[in-house]
């Protein structure tokens, strides 16, 4: 997992940045424990993993293996 922009995660989730921001506000305490500031534009890898698991976001693989 890698660090990602909040806007990038919102796009993968299929929601607007404002909707995604409201979702993140409901988890502010958990994200603060992970070292994410409320106004941060990027999320660290630990926070990204938590969010994609909680919000059920599918992130495409960067370098998918070719299968013949």
């Amino acid at each position: 997992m890698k660090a990602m922009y909040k806007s990038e995660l919102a796009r993968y989730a299929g929601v607007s940045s404002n909707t995604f921001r409201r979702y993140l506000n409901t988890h502010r305490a958990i994200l603060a424990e992970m070292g994410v500031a409320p106004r941060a534009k990027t999320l660290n890898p630990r926070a990204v993993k938590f969010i994609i698991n909680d919000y059920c976001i599918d992130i495409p693989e960067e370098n998918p293996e070719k299968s013949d």
Side-chain angles (χ1 to χ4, degrees):
M1 196 57 46
K2 65 175 186 164
M4 296 179 82
Y5 286 102
K6 290 178 182 178
S7 59
E8 188 178 11
L9 278 172
R11 202 170 39 253
Y12 285 131
V15 297
S16 70
S17 293
N18 285 336
T19 298
F20 194 70
R21 179 183 46 79
R22 285 191 302 271
Y23 159 76
L24 292 178
N25 281 338
T26 64
H27 294 82
R28 183 177 283 184
I30 296 168
L31 293 172
E33 289 177 9
M34 294 181 191
V36 177
R39 294 185 184 233
K41 293 188 182 203
T42 59
L43 298 167
N44 61 42
R46 185 173 167 207
V48 170
K49 185 174 181 178
F50 168 76
I51 291 167
I52 63 170
N53 288 331
D54 187 61
Y55 203 73
C56 299
I57 301 172
D58 290 325
I59 305 293
E61 293 183 32
E62 289 181 13
N63 296 320
E65 296 291 324
K66 289 185 179 181
S67 58
D68 295 317

